[in-house]
């Protein structure tokens, strides 16, 4: 048997059409060059602040290298609960409503896997983070794309979302502020989407890891903060972007 046939035999069929990430391929090439500035990956242009690095050094020196609780350190979950309450106006119980993950990507993967039955449709908007569609496919779901455009600031409208909802729709993945377009929704737009999700009885997975990176007095409204939405929303965030901690791989999920 040839190598290619062998690979096809052992790789799961539902993964066969998932393409490699072009951004990651580009990143690997650029990482070998000293004369190129990479703008292709979501990472701040400053290193992790010293007080965070110093705390990490001291933690290692104290031997803080053992297993934690499955949900993550309770001290960290309490700090996350305080941050989310202060910044978004949403209250989650650090005891059983917050999960610390290996970056927001794991939080997204776990959320999608936890709610997706084979054949369920999960809607997402493009341009988007490259992992949304593959993660839906990995969970045996059906990715349903909504194309956004510069004409309306790459926003997602109620009408666009409504057009894609069918009796197989389980959830919609939202990412505002958006990677890579930077799109931000107004409060009125968020309320429109929330109203539709309640009417059509669909779940929302909201990836808000770029929430701190808003400018020019732009609205920053989490759909989970809209009345009636906390109970049907999985709120994802993390420390990678605003705190320049991409390599630390610390994300979290609140629900």
């Amino acid at each position: 048997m040839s190598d290619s046939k062998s690979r096809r035999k052992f790789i799961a069929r539902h993964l066969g059409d998932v393409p490699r990430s072009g951004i990651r391929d580009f990143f690997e090439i650029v990482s070998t060059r000293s004369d190129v500035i990479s703008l292709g990956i979501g990472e701040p242009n400053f290193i992790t602040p010293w007080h965070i690095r110093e705390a990490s050094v001291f933690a290692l020196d104290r031997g803080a290298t053992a297993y934690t609780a499955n949900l993550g350190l309770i001290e960290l979950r309490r700090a996350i609960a305080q941050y989310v309450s202060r910044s978004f106006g949403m209250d989650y119980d650090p005891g059983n409503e917050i999960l610390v993950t290996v970056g927001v990507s794991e939080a997204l993967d776990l959320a999608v896997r936890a709610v997706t039955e084979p054949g369920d449709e999960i809607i997402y908007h493009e341009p988007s983070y490259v992992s949304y569609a593959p993660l839906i496919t990995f969970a045996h779901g059906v990715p349903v794309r909504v194309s956004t455009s510069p004409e309306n600031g790459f926003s997602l409208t109620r009408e666009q979302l409504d057009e894609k909802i069918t009796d197989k729709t389980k959830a919609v993945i939202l990412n505002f502020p958006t990677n890579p377009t930077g799109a931000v929704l107004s409060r009125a737009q968020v309320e429109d989407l929330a109203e539709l999700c309640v009417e059509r009885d669909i779940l929302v997975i909201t990836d808000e890891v770029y929430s701190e990176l808003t400018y020019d007095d732009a609205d920053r409204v989490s759909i989970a903060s809209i009345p009636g939405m906390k109970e049907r929303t999985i709120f994802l965030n993390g420390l990678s972007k605003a705190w320049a901690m991409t390599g630390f791989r610390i994300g979290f999920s609140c629900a």
Side-chain angles (χ1 to χ4, degrees):
M1 181 182 297
S2 69
D3 287 344
S4 61
K5 289 182 178 179
S6 178
R7 284 194 294 270
R8 285 197 296 272
K9 174 182 176 181
F10 292 114
I11 297 298
R13 287 192 298 273
H14 69 288
L15 304 186
D17 295 328
V18 175
R20 287 174 56 87
S21 168
I23 290 176
R24 295 304 306 192
D25 284 343
F26 181 74
F27 176 74
E28 296 298 331
I29 295 171
V30 171
S31 67
T32 66
R33 302 282 298 271
S34 61
D35 58 341
V36 175
I37 298 173
S38 174
L39 302 177
I41 198 164
E43 192 162 42
N45 66 342
F46 59 93
I47 64 172
T48 309
W50 167 242
H51 70 280
I52 298 174
R53 290 180 284 137
E54 182 182 45
S56 302
V57 171
F58 288 154
L60 290 173
D61 190 53
R62 293 194 307 270
T65 58
Y67 282 127
T68 69
N70 281 357
L71 294 176
L73 289 171
I74 186 60
E75 296 87 351
L76 177 55
R77 285 183 276 141
R78 287 172 182 152
I80 290 169
Q82 292 171 1
Y83 164 69
V84 173
S85 178
R86 182 177 66 250
S87 297
F88 299 92
M90 303 178 308
D91 294 321
Y92 292 95
D93 182 351
N96 59 16
E97 293 182 336
I98 297 176
L99 169 68
V100 180
T101 58
V102 184
V104 185
S105 290
E106 188 196 22
L108 177 68
D109 186 32
L110 292 174
V112 171
R113 289 178 189 270
V115 305
T116 306
E117 301 280 2
D120 281 347
E121 294 178 352
I122 310 294
I123 301 171
Y124 71 102
H125 52 97
E126 284 193 337
S128 69
Y129 175 51
V130 295
S131 292
Y132 292 154
L135 288 180
I136 296 166
T137 300
F138 294 165
H140 298 277
V142 179
V144 177
R145 179 183 65 188
V146 179
S147 295
T148 64
S149 66
E151 285 72 28
N152 67 346
F154 294 105
S155 62
L156 175 66
T157 68
R158 175 182 177 136
E159 291 72 26
Q160 286 175 306
L161 179 58
D162 196 26
E163 286 179 359
K164 297 293 184 177
I165 296 175
T166 72
D167 57 0
K168 295 182 179 179
T169 302
K170 174 65 70 71
V172 56
I173 297 174
L174 300 180
N175 175 220
F176 294 100
T178 303
N179 170 14
T181 66
V184 179
L185 297 183
S186 68
R187 174 173 288 276
Q189 289 173 309
V190 174
E191 289 175 345
D192 276 348
L193 294 179
E195 184 178 63
L196 176 64
C197 290
V198 172
E199 287 179 2
R200 302 298 296 269
D201 193 26
I202 62 174
L203 184 76
V204 174
I205 301 171
T206 178
D207 174 0
E208 302 190 26
V209 70
Y210 287 92
S211 61
E212 297 289 351
L213 306 183
T214 54
Y215 309 94
D216 299 328
D217 297 322
D219 284 340
R220 188 191 68 178
V221 181
S222 174
I223 194 168
S225 70
I226 304 300
M229 286 305 297
K230 181 182 175 184
E231 296 77 8
R232 65 170 64 245
T233 301
I234 302 175
F235 173 83
L236 311 180
N237 208 317
L239 308 186
S240 292
K241 312 306 180 181
W243 289 270
M245 294 173 63
T246 52
F248 283 70
R249 309 308 305 136
I250 300 176
F252 56 87
S253 175
C254 302

